[in-house]
Amino acid sequence: MNELVITGRRFRLLSDRFKKFWFKFSRSSLSIIGLIISTTCVILAVLAPYIVPYPEHIEWYIDYDNALRPPNLEHILGTDQYGRDVFSRIIFGMRYSFTLVVVVLSIVIPTGIVLGVLAGYFKDTWFDYLIMRISDTFVAVPPLVMALAIAAVLKPSMINSMIAVSLTWWPWYARLTYSAVSSLKNEYYIIYSEVIGVSKLRVMFVEILPNCIGPILTKATLDVGWVILVGAALSFVGLGAQPPIPDLGTMVAEGAHLLPTTWWVSIFPALTITIIILGFNLLGDGLKDVFTEEKY
Amino acid sequence: MESLLRVEDLNVRYKSYRGELKVLDDVSFEVKVREKVGLIGESGCGKTTLLKSILRILPPNSIIYKGKIFFKNIEIIKANKNEIFKIRRENIGMIFQDPMSALNPFFKVKDQLYDALRYSVHNIKSQQDLQQMIIKLLKEVALSDSERILESYPFELSGGMRQRVCIALALTRSNDLLLADEPTTNLDVTIQEQILNLLRELVNKRGLSIVLVSHALGMVKEFVDKIYVMYAGQIVETASTDKIFSEPLHPYTKLLLSAVPRLTGRWKAEGLIGRLPDYVNPPPGCRFYMRCQQSNSNCKIKPKLLKLNKDHSVACWLYGDEEH
Amino acid sequence: MNELLVVKNLKKYFKTKFGLVKAVDGITFHINEGETFALVGESGSGKSTTGHMIVGMYAPTSGEIYYKMNNISVHASKRPKNITREIQVVFQDPASSLNPSRYIKDIIGTPLKVYNLIRNSTEVEQKVADLLENVELPPELYMYRKPRELGGGELQAIAIARALSTNPKLIILDEPTSALDVITQAKIINLLLNLQKKHNLTYLFITHDLAVVRNIASRVAVMYLGKIVETAPTIELFNHCRHPYSMMLFSSIPVISEDEKNLKPKKITSIGEIPSSLSIPPGCRFHTRCPYAEARCKVEEPSLKHINSGHIVACHLAE
C-alpha cells in the first residue's frame, strides 16, 4: 500500500471533518458572534502589554490631575480616582481573569475527569460511593457561596482565590464524566474490549473517555465565563486579588462608591465581564450543537 | 379510481458541509383512494424523505427544490401552516419505524391518546365520551388489556404493543391516508405477521389508502396492490404487485428480488457490487448505471419513466423505443 | 464429526428488582467443527444471552460450556488467552459494537495488539489493510475513517474484519444482518459464507430470520423462553418440523414466490406474544400460545424426545 496515498487521504478526511464541524457550527449566527467575541477577548488579553495606550497605569500610578475624567479621546473609557486609564486596566484585568480561568480549569478538568471516569467505571463500588458522596456535598452548596467560604478561611490573594474556585469546581466535571461513563460502559464496544482482555486503564481512558469529550468541552467553554464571574465576585468582596492588581472584580468594587456620577469607573469593567460571559456562552452553545449528533 | 395523493417531479435536497445532497430526483408518485401502495428499495434511497415531504416534516436543512404534491386538490408544498396542520391532524397519519422513539417516554399511553384525539376529533362531548373512544380505539388495534395499557408508560410495553399504540395514534389522525415507514422492521417475525394482519384489517375496514415503506419484500407482496421501486432517489419501476414479482424489468428490481433469502434454499445473490452513488455528485444519467451489469452508453442520459402497458412503467433504456 | 463446542444444561438467571429473570434455563447442544449452527427464536427467548455466555461476557449461573474439551464456563477474563482468541463475536448493531470515536485502524488493531499478533506499529497498518481487503473494503478508503461516517453494511463488514483479526475458530454471529436491508444483508451473508470456506470457520448464527437460516445453517435449534424446543439438521427441520412453535415461526415468514409457499407447513396463525421471563408459564412454556395445547401441557413439562438422528423435540404431542 502506498504510504503517500494514505497520508493524503488522511489529510483530506481531517479537512473534511473540519468542514463538517464548521458547517454545523456556522448554522447559527449566534455561535459565530460568540466565537468572534471570545477570540477577540483572548487576543486582547494575550497582547495586552503591546496594545494598551498606558501600560504604566496598571498598578502603582497616581496622577490626581487627570483623576475621574469621563470618557474622551485620550482616555476612551475615562480615568479612575487615581487618574489611571480605565481601558488599559480593563485589558490587563482580562489578562488576570483569563489566567485565573486557565489555572482553575487546568486543575479542575483533569481532576474531575479522572475521578469521574474511575467512579463511573467502578460504579456501585465503595470508590464510586466515596467520590460521588464527596462531590454531592460540594454540589449541594452554590459554588459562589462555597468559594466565598473557602476564600474567607484562606488569606485573600490571587493564588488563594484560584484554590477556592478550583475546590468548588471539580465535582461538576466529575459528575458530568461519571454519568457519561457509567452509561457508555454498557456499550457493546466496551464489553468487547473487556472480553478480549484490554487492560482496565486502556478501556477507561482510550476506549471510553474520548466519547465523553464533547460534553466536557462544551462545559469547559461555558465555564470560562462562570469562573471569571466567581473570581470577580471574590475580588469584589475583597477575598480575591488585592489592589492595585487590576482585577475586573476589584475594579468594580473600587468604582462602586463613585456611582452614579462617575459611572465609567465601575460600569465598564462590569460590562466587560458581561461581554466575556456572553461570548463564551454563545460559543459553548454552538459547540453543543456540533457535538449533538443528528441523523442527517 | 380517484386519485388521493399525487406527487409530481419532486426534487428534495439536503444542505451538507460537502454541498447539496440531491436526494429525491424527479419523483412522481400516486396513491388512489383505497389503494395500498408499496415503496421498496435499499436503505438510504430516499423512501423516508419522500414520506416526510408528503407531511412536510423534513429536517430544517432540507430544500424542496422543485415539484408539486397534491392531496385532494390541496397543493401541500404551497399550503399555509393551518392547512398543513389540518391535514396532519385529520387526513394523513404516519407510523414510524421505531415505536420507542415515536412515543413520549414521559407520558402514559392514556395521555398520549387523549391528546391525539382532542386535536383531531371535533365532536367530543364529555370526558366519558373520550374515554369510550380511547377504549374503542385500543380494541381496534387488538390491545385487549386496555385498562392496564392505558395506565402504562411506553417503556413498560413490549415492542409489539408499542407499535399497536403507535398505530392507534396514527389512526386518530388518518381519515384518508396512512403512511407506514417500515412499521415492522424492529419486531419479531411472529409479531410482524400480527401487526401486518392488523393493519390490513384496519385499512380495509376504514377504507383508507396506505403507503407501506419496507425492505421486507415478502411482507410487501402480501400487503399491497401496487409497488414503486426506488433507487437513489429515483423511481425506477412501478407496476402491480404481481407484475413486479413475476416479471421484474428494471435490473435493480431484479437485483433486489435476487437478494431476498428463499425458503427453497437456492439463494445465491449475484451482482451485489457497488453502493449507492454519492448524492452530492450523482451520475447525470441513470443513477443505477455504475452498478448495473447491463448498462450501455445510453445510460449516461437519464431515462424517463416509460409506460409499457396499463400498470407497468419502467425507467430503463433496455425497454421501449429509441425516442423514449 | 469433531465437536468444537459443547453446551451442557446451561442456565443463566439475572436478578432484577422485579424478580429473578430466567433468561436461559437449561439448554444443551453442541456445535461441530466447520459447520454453521443456528439458534433461532423471538426476542426474549434467551438466544443472545446464550451467545454472550459462550463469548464470556458473563459467567453462567450453572451448567457447562466446553470448548475443545476445555471447560470455559467462566467470564472471559478468567479464560486462557488462546481460547478467548479463538472465540470471536459479531453483534447485531454495528453502530454500538464499534467505538464511534476511534479510527477503523485502531478498532481492528486493538485485538491484534492485545493478543500480540503483531510486532510493531508499522505492521498494524499492513495487517489491518489485509483484513479490510479480506472483507472486500478498499483499505485506503476506510483505514482512517470513523464508524459514524460509514453505513450499516460497511460497519458490519468492519466488525467481521475485527473478529477475523485474531484468526478465530468459532465466531458467534449475534443477529448480524437483522439491522440491514435485503441487499446489504445478502452482501454480508455472501461475505460470511466465503470467509467460512476460506478460513475454515465455525459459526454460531443467532437470528430470528428463518429464511436466512435455511440458506446458510447446517443445523438449527429453536429456542423459546430459555429452553430449546427443537433441534434438527436444517433440511430435516424445514421438511418435518414437529414443534408447534417452530411451525408458527415458519408460517409467519413472508415469502415472495409460490414454490416457497408450498414449502411452508400448515398455516398456524401467530397469536399472543412471548411471555416475560419473569413469569414463565408452568408445564410446557409454549402452551399459552399453542393451538394444540392439551390439559397435560399446562402442568407437565415435556421431556426431550429423539425423533430420528439429530432431531430432538420437546413436545408432548410429538410421537
Side-chain angles (χ1 to χ4, degrees):
Chain A
M1 210 172 22
N2 194 335
E3 289 282 317
L4 214 67
V5 175
I6 292 237
T7 321
R9 292 239 183 236
R10 227 180 140 169
F11 179 74
R12 235 185 54 205
L13 283 172
L14 272 177
S15 81
D16 252 24
R17 273 182 205 119
F18 178 75
K19 272 192 227 153
K20 198 169 169 184
F21 174 88
W22 184 249
F23 176 77
K24 282 176 144 188
F25 184 80
S26 60
R27 262 187 314 209
S28 151
S29 49
L30 282 178
S31 335
I32 306 256
I33 294 172
L35 183 69
I36 292 170
I37 295 178
S38 45
T39 41
T40 316
C41 289
V42 172
I43 290 171
L44 285 179
V46 169
L47 300 178
Y50 308 103
I51 51 172
V52 297
Y54 304 97
E56 69 277 9
H57 288 205
I58 301 312
E59 294 195 1
W60 299 109
Y61 180 85
I62 293 174
D63 176 8
Y64 286 121
D65 295 344
N66 284 318
L68 298 176
R69 289 275 166 87
N72 55 43
L73 280 178
E74 239 171 286
H75 302 280
I76 50 171
L77 301 181
T79 60
D80 66 4
Q81 61 268 52
Y82 304 108
R84 297 178 294 192
D85 182 42
V86 173
F87 176 71
S88 306
R89 298 199 84 222
I90 284 178
I91 300 295
F92 265 87
M94 277 166 40
R95 208 172 152 87
Y96 280 99
S97 295
F98 281 120
T99 317
L100 175 78
V101 168
V102 168
V103 171
V104 166
L105 290 188
S106 57
I107 295 170
V108 153
I109 295 180
T111 327
I113 284 180
V114 169
L115 291 175
V117 167
L118 287 169
Y121 189 71
F122 297 108
K123 197 175 158 90
D124 295 329
T125 62
W126 63 268
F127 187 80
D128 166 24
Y129 295 134
L130 181 73
I131 298 297
M132 282 302 116
R133 289 307 82 77
I134 294 175
S135 73
D136 281 349
T137 325
F138 278 91
V139 169
V141 186
L144 184 58
V145 177
M146 193 73 179
L148 279 173
I150 296 172
V153 175
L154 304 168
K155 237 176 76 195
S157 77
M158 185 88 185
I159 302 287
N160 284 344
S161 76
M162 285 175 184
I163 294 173
V165 179
S166 302
L167 274 174
T168 58
W169 225 278
W170 70 268
W172 298 96
Y173 284 91
R175 296 186 70 84
L176 184 70
T177 323
Y178 172 82
S179 62
V181 170
S182 54
S183 71
L184 281 172
K185 78 172 202 157
N186 294 322
E187 291 282 336
Y188 278 121
Y189 54 85
I190 302 303
I191 295 173
Y192 177 83
S193 51
E194 285 168 345
V195 161
I196 63 169
V198 178
S199 75
K200 284 203 163 66
L201 269 178
R202 272 193 81 82
V203 171
M204 282 185 265
F205 291 100
V206 180
E207 301 278 348
I208 302 182
L209 183 60
N211 293 300
C212 330
I213 286 302
I216 293 174
L217 212 62
T218 310
K219 178 157 176 56
T221 316
L222 294 171
D223 274 353
V224 172
W226 297 119
V227 170
I228 288 178
L229 188 67
V230 173
L234 286 179
S235 310
F236 182 81
V237 295
L239 294 172
Q242 296 300 305
I245 293 175
D247 185 273
L248 292 173
T250 324
M251 287 163 75
V252 177
E254 283 178 331
H257 65 275
L258 302 170
L259 283 172
T261 40
T262 47
W263 49 272
W264 57 89
V265 182
S266 63
I267 290 295
F268 284 120
L271 214 56
T272 312
I273 298 175
T274 316
I275 289 172
I276 296 177
I277 294 175
L278 183 74
F280 279 94
N281 270 297
L282 292 177
L283 179 67
D285 277 348
L287 287 180
K288 194 177 78 202
D289 291 345
V290 173
F291 290 123
T292 324
E293 273 301 313
E294 285 151 351
K295 272 280 171 203
Y296 50 91
Chain B
M1 259 190 302
E2 191 190 339
S3 134
L4 180 69
L5 176 82
R6 215 167 67 245
V7 176
E8 281 174 10
D9 295 330
L10 186 67
N11 284 257
V12 174
R13 298 178 176 185
Y14 290 113
K15 277 182 273 182
S16 92
Y17 69 100
R18 292 186 301 140
E20 278 181 5
L21 304 175
K22 301 171 187 71
V23 176
L24 291 190
D25 181 41
D26 287 342
V27 169
S28 295
F29 180 82
E30 190 181 25
V31 184
K32 297 197 173 100
V33 174
R34 299 185 76 111
E35 192 178 34
K36 298 184 205 106
V37 172
L39 193 58
I40 59 176
E42 64 197 279
S43 340
C45 73
K47 294 171 296 191
T48 306
T49 301
L50 177 54
L51 289 198
K52 284 187 174 169
S53 36
I54 292 171
L55 273 181
R56 288 253 310 260
I57 48 173
L58 288 164
N61 65 339
S62 63
I63 315 157
I64 297 178
Y65 181 73
K66 210 179 94 191
K68 293 190 179 87
I69 302 174
F70 290 102
F71 176 78
K72 284 183 166 175
N73 302 325
I74 301 171
E75 226 280 49
I76 287 189
I77 290 170
K78 293 208 182 91
N80 62 33
K81 265 196 176 147
N82 288 333
E83 283 173 307
I84 288 291
F85 281 135
K86 191 165 175 297
I87 287 175
R88 287 185 201 154
R89 271 198 308 261
E90 293 169 16
N91 301 96
I92 308 182
M94 185 155 175
I95 304 168
F96 295 92
Q97 179 178 355
D98 181 9
M100 193 67 220
S101 60
L103 294 173
N104 190 333
F106 284 103
F107 291 98
K108 286 179 182 167
V109 169
K110 185 178 67 178
D111 299 330
Q112 306 198 28
L113 283 170
Y114 178 93
D115 272 356
L117 279 173
R118 220 173 35 160
Y119 281 106
S120 45
V121 183
H122 297 304
N123 53 349
I124 298 171
K125 289 178 204 83
S126 63
Q127 195 72 19
Q128 282 84 359
D129 210 21
L130 197 68
Q131 192 77 20
Q132 288 297 315
M133 286 173 87
I134 290 177
I135 288 175
K136 201 175 133 230
L137 203 59
L138 286 187
K139 279 226 178 71
E140 268 191 289
V141 294
L143 281 168
S144 48
D145 191 5
S146 56
E147 294 284 305
R148 188 179 72 84
I149 286 165
L150 283 176
E151 290 299 323
S152 310
Y153 290 94
F155 64 86
E156 294 172 318
L157 303 174
S158 71
M161 288 189 203
R162 262 181 237 139
Q163 196 57 288
R164 283 168 203 270
V165 172
C166 287
I167 293 175
L169 273 172
L171 283 178
T172 63
R173 293 162 201 157
S174 44
N175 293 322
D176 298 295
L177 177 64
L178 198 56
L179 306 175
D181 187 7
E182 309 197 17
T184 62
T185 307
N186 290 331
L187 305 173
D188 282 311
V189 266
T190 51
I191 310 300
Q192 279 187 16
E193 197 196 13
Q194 295 176 13
I195 294 284
L196 221 58
N197 287 340
L198 171 73
L199 266 181
R200 185 183 298 123
E201 201 181 291
L202 286 170
V203 166
N204 288 340
K205 202 174 86 190
R206 295 194 166 207
L208 303 179
S209 306
I210 184 169
V211 179
L212 178 70
V213 168
S214 181
H215 41 240
L217 264 57
M219 215 180 78
V220 176
K221 180 174 191 253
E222 285 171 25
F223 198 88
V224 303
D225 313 321
K226 185 176 169 192
I227 286 180
Y228 285 87
V229 185
M230 242 181 131
Y231 180 76
Q234 293 175 330
I235 301 277
V236 295
E237 185 168 1
T238 166
S240 64
T241 307
D242 295 337
K243 276 272 173 57
I244 287 280
F245 285 95
S246 59
E247 38 179 303
L249 294 179
H250 198 279
Y252 180 67
T253 316
K254 290 178 186 164
L255 178 70
L256 203 58
L257 292 179
S258 78
V260 179
R262 306 292 175 102
L263 278 183
T264 41
R266 288 185 300 273
W267 177 45
K268 185 74 185 139
E270 300 286 349
L272 295 170
I273 42 156
R275 43 189 284 192
L276 284 170
D278 183 5
Y279 282 121
V280 176
N281 287 310
C286 171
R287 287 188 174 180
F288 186 58
Y289 150 70
M290 302 297 284
R291 284 168 89 176
C292 184
Q293 292 178 333
Q294 292 164 278
S295 61
N296 56 40
S297 56
N298 264 344
C299 300
K300 288 180 183 165
I301 306 159
K302 191 169 145 187
K304 283 204 191 73
L305 200 61
L306 179 72
K307 201 159 187 157
L308 293 180
N309 56 46
K310 200 171 112 282
D311 57 356
H312 204 155
S313 307
V314 62
C316 179
W317 288 107
L318 294 171
Y319 304 97
D321 308 323
E322 280 304 302
E323 68 262 36
H324 224 91
Chain C
M1 244 188 293
N2 222 343
E3 290 180 354
L4 187 69
L5 187 92
V6 178
V7 169
K8 274 188 186 156
N9 202 19
L10 191 68
K11 289 183 184 173
K12 180 71 198 177
Y13 298 165
F14 293 103
K15 280 196 195 88
T16 67
K17 58 180 170 181
F18 305 108
L20 197 64
V21 172
K22 296 180 175 180
V24 177
D25 202 9
I27 62 169
T28 301
F29 63 87
H30 68 273
I31 303 175
N32 297 321
E33 198 165 347
E35 77 169 342
T36 300
F37 183 78
L39 211 49
V40 182
E42 289 170 276
S43 47
S45 61
K47 55 190 196 312
S48 288
T49 312
T50 310
H52 293 170
M53 274 191 281
I54 295 169
V55 184
M57 277 163 56
Y58 23 73
T61 309
S62 72
E64 290 94 42
I65 307 169
Y66 295 96
Y67 176 77
K68 286 183 175 170
M69 319 294 257
N70 302 299
N71 190 337
I72 53 162
S73 341
V74 285
H75 188 268
S77 57
K78 295 184 186 120
R79 294 179 183 178
K81 261 204 160 178
N82 60 330
I83 287 180
T84 54
R85 183 180 69 74
E86 287 185 5
I87 305 178
Q88 284 293 315
V89 59
V90 174
F91 294 103
Q92 172 181 3
D93 179 12
S96 81
S97 73
L98 302 172
N99 195 334
S101 65
R102 306 196 73 195
Y103 290 125
I104 301 303
K105 186 199 123 192
D106 297 326
I107 290 172
I108 302 179
T110 304
L112 291 171
K113 282 181 198 145
V114 170
Y115 293 111
N116 297 320
L117 298 170
I118 31 108
R119 268 156 302 185
N120 52 46
S121 52
T122 46
E123 219 177 320
V124 179
E125 206 155 75
Q126 190 52 49
K127 192 81 207 293
V128 171
D130 292 346
L131 285 162
L132 283 173
E133 252 159 33
N134 208 0
V135 295
E136 294 155 18
L137 296 177
E140 68 275 9
L141 287 179
Y142 289 92
M143 204 78 126
Y144 290 100
R145 299 292 279 282
K146 288 183 178 178
R148 63 166 72 101
E149 299 162 357
L150 304 172
E154 295 159 310
L155 289 178
Q156 205 55 294
I158 286 160
I160 293 169
R162 178 177 68 178
L164 287 174
S165 66
T166 62
N167 303 320
K169 288 266 183 317
L170 173 66
I171 300 185
I172 316 294
L173 302 164
D174 186 4
E175 310 211 28
T177 61
S178 50
L180 308 172
D181 65 71
V182 267
I183 288 196
T184 323
Q185 162 172 292
K187 270 188 199 167
I188 293 291
I189 298 283
N190 275 352
L191 176 67
L192 285 170
L193 291 175
N194 293 339
L195 291 171
Q196 183 171 37
K197 261 182 242 147
K198 199 162 142 196
H199 301 282
N200 190 28
L201 298 167
T202 307
Y203 289 149
L204 170 61
F205 197 91
I206 298 168
T207 183
H208 60 247
D209 191 342
L210 279 166
V212 174
V213 167
R214 173 66 183 82
N215 286 282
I216 69 162
S218 43
R219 289 189 309 127
V220 185
V222 180
M223 270 186 95
Y224 187 75
L225 268 183
K227 287 259 190 201
I228 291 183
V229 295
E230 188 163 13
T231 315
T234 310
I235 309 284
E236 166 80 8
L237 185 79
F238 275 74
N239 293 337
H240 313 283
C241 78
R242 303 298 288 270
H243 198 283
Y245 179 61
S246 316
M247 293 182 204
M248 183 192 274
L249 280 181
F250 273 122
S251 54
S252 51
I253 311 172
V255 293
I256 62 171
S257 64
E258 279 306 313
D259 42 342
E260 285 178 273
K261 228 172 225 165
N262 301 333
L263 281 176
K264 295 213 285 191
K266 207 168 73 211
K267 180 89 185 162
I268 296 190
T269 318
S270 97
I271 42 167
E273 288 187 21
I274 188 164
S276 149
S277 11
L278 279 164
S279 54
I280 293 173
C284 174
R285 292 161 188 234
F286 186 59
H287 81 253
T288 51
R289 294 169 77 187
C290 183
Y292 307 120
E294 295 173 355
R296 67 167 167 168
C297 297
K298 290 174 186 158
V299 281
E300 194 185 327
E301 190 154 352
S303 56
L304 290 170
K305 293 192 187 86
H306 290 258
I307 305 282
N308 53 40
S309 72
H311 192 163
I312 307 168
V313 173
C315 179
H316 290 303
L317 302 163
E319 293 306 332

